[in-house]
Amino acid sequence: MVQPLKSERGGPPGSAVPGRAWLMLALATVGFAVNFWAWALLSPLAPRLKDSLELSSFEQSLLVAVPVVVGSLGRIPVGALTDRFGGRVVFPIVSAATIVPVLYLGLAGHSSLAALLIGGFFLGIGGTAFAVGVPLVNAWFPPERRGLAVGVFGAGMGGTAISALTTVKLVDAGSMSTPFLITAGVLAVYAVTAALVLRDAPGRSVPTEPLSRRLAATARLPVTWQASALYAVAFGGYVAFSVYLPTYLRTGYDLTQADAANRMAGFVLLAVAMRPFGGWLSDRAGPVRVLAGSLAVVVAGAVAQAFTPALAPVGTLAFLAMAAALGAGSGATFALVSRLTPAGQVGSVTGVVGAAGGLGGFLPPLVMGSLYGAFGTYAIGFALLAVVAAAALAYTLTAVRAATRTAGADAPAGRPRRTAGTSA
């Protein structure tokens, strides 16, 4: 039997969202941005480190990919811990823990590839913040507003743009340690603020089962694997471009390091702006429709870029179109998660899906670096992106659409649907 629809706070559908929920959303978004800023510190410096340490293309790609994979896999236990202990506890801990590798890299860990890889490994802690914020935000908002709320939170991935815009300039103005010291200071301020101000939603669902049992239950949910496959393409594509685009633009188009970093920041900012829009549109049109449109745009953009067109205007338009589509698709994926996931498992599902997204961003830089080293061109890499996006589009229009129709989860807001927190 389907129970009457209620939010985790107990209010009926369409009830007003309290101001405190918006405050928690703002604090969580800032925390996500700050941790992602730290997580992305190595990417803008990769070309400079390649020159100073005489790294190969593969070693440079590995350098920027290590924090991505660690931050991605770390989301699985961190998401489950957030379900159990709440974002109020876990968010300050993650932020404080990220300070350690940031200081290490800034003060001592940038003198060799081995030291950078060690620092980059622990820098991945910052990437787990995503799995903390989604369940925290999800619990504060009613089902019909979660697409927008989680989309707004997801805009915190713009922390990578902060890194892209400031890191190289701060190094030029000061020293290699300058951006790391500033970021560590901001992380410390946020950790203290979050510990004092951040709160979990009243009446949130707290699981009592052991971690292993909860993760096993998460693995049995179809939405876990459906959303993971889609997020690996949508957010994975965003992560891959945000860490590798400066290298690609510098190598493929002979841009300066600063110009390449600025263009990457533009890519990131557009993707960030489109993520809340993707969530908002999913609340109204349904997440499957938004995902299908987004993936179709990615296919077209990747095909165009595979021919290595002139950067102005075709190349720029292709990258901007893909940025908008990847951002909207990322927002739509978690609109789907928020509709289909039981309340007490949002953190666990978010951890697995977030891990898939991060891992989706881990492989492309390595593949692109290896292909360029072997063939002297990036065309094959973009052709592979087009194929993967096309496969995800076909999956969305078949298996995912069928699953969401069965659950009534692709209906626009206001129509009856079975959502997170309901039972049959």
Side-chain angles (χ1 to χ4, degrees):
M1 177 178 179
V2 177
Q3 301 297 326
L5 183 63
K6 292 184 179 180
S7 74
E8 274 82 344
R9 298 186 322 284
S15 57
V17 178
R20 197 176 189 191
W22 295 108
L23 174 60
M24 296 304 110
L25 173 58
L27 284 171
T29 304
V30 170
F32 183 26
V34 170
N35 279 276
F36 252 43
W37 175 9
W39 194 39
L41 280 171
L42 290 179
S43 176
L45 296 174
R48 178 172 299 196
L49 292 169
K50 178 184 180 182
D51 295 339
S52 63
L53 299 177
E54 299 181 348
L55 305 179
S56 66
S57 295
F58 178 81
E59 288 172 333
Q60 181 185 1
S61 300
L62 183 63
L63 173 63
V64 299
V66 164
V68 173
V69 70
V70 174
S72 301
L73 293 175
R75 291 173 186 176
I76 298 175
V78 168
L81 289 171
T82 303
D83 278 341
R84 178 67 180 85
F85 297 104
R88 179 187 181 184
V89 172
V90 182
F91 226 139
I93 291 175
V94 167
S95 302
T98 305
I99 295 173
V100 177
V102 169
L103 288 177
Y104 166 76
L105 286 166
L107 298 176
H110 55 265
S111 57
S112 69
L113 177 61
L116 285 165
L117 291 177
I118 292 171
F121 180 91
F122 290 101
L123 193 64
I125 295 171
T128 67
F130 179 74
V132 183
V134 170
L136 186 148
V137 169
N138 197 74
W140 273 105
F141 286 81
E144 67 273 11
R145 304 294 291 275
R146 287 178 184 157
L148 173 62
V150 175
V152 169
F153 168 76
M157 67 187 191
T160 56
I162 300 174
S163 179
L165 289 170
T166 63
T167 303
V168 174
K169 294 176 182 177
L170 288 171
V171 169
D172 291 339
S175 66
M176 182 63 77
S177 64
T178 303
F180 295 91
L181 294 175
I182 292 174
T183 306
V186 175
L187 280 166
V189 171
Y190 179 77
V192 173
T193 303
L196 295 175
V197 181
L198 201 63
R199 295 291 183 271
D200 293 307
R204 76 178 183 90
S205 299
V206 180
T208 56
E209 298 86 356
L211 177 61
S212 59
R213 187 177 301 173
R214 285 188 284 129
L215 290 176
T218 297
R220 291 193 294 269
L221 291 173
V223 66
T224 302
W225 306 112
Q226 292 164 355
S228 292
L230 297 173
Y231 204 57
V233 178
F235 185 72
Y238 162 81
V239 171
F241 279 121
S242 68
V243 301
Y244 198 72
L245 195 54
T247 300
Y248 169 76
L249 291 174
R250 192 176 182 193
T251 305
Y253 288 94
D254 199 28
L255 300 183
T256 65
Q257 181 179 345
D259 191 11
N262 288 337
R263 289 174 185 268
M264 186 271 273
F267 180 99
V268 168
L269 289 172
L270 180 56
V272 167
M274 288 299 294
R275 183 156 182 163
F277 177 77
W280 172 84
L281 189 60
S282 296
D283 285 339
R284 283 148 182 80
V288 168
R289 295 174 182 84
V290 179
L291 280 162
S294 299
L295 291 167
V297 172
V298 174
V299 172
V303 168
Q305 197 58 35
F307 292 96
T308 318
L311 198 55
V314 177
T316 298
L317 290 175
F319 278 119
L320 292 179
M322 286 191 289
L326 292 170
S330 297
T333 302
F334 270 91
L336 186 68
V337 169
S338 69
R339 291 184 180 206
L340 290 178
T341 306
Q345 293 176 269
V346 173
S348 298
V349 172
T350 295
V352 176
V353 176
L359 291 174
F362 171 72
L363 290 177
L366 298 179
V367 172
M368 294 290 273
S370 298
L371 288 174
Y372 185 81
F375 301 103
T377 178
Y378 291 108
I380 299 174
F382 282 102
L384 289 174
L385 172 60
V387 170
V388 171
L393 174 59
Y395 181 62
T396 300
L397 293 175
T398 54
V400 177
R401 171 170 283 175
T404 54
R405 282 180 173 174
T406 299
D410 199 36
R415 296 184 187 176
R417 65 179 182 238
R418 200 172 81 193
T419 58
T422 66
S423 59

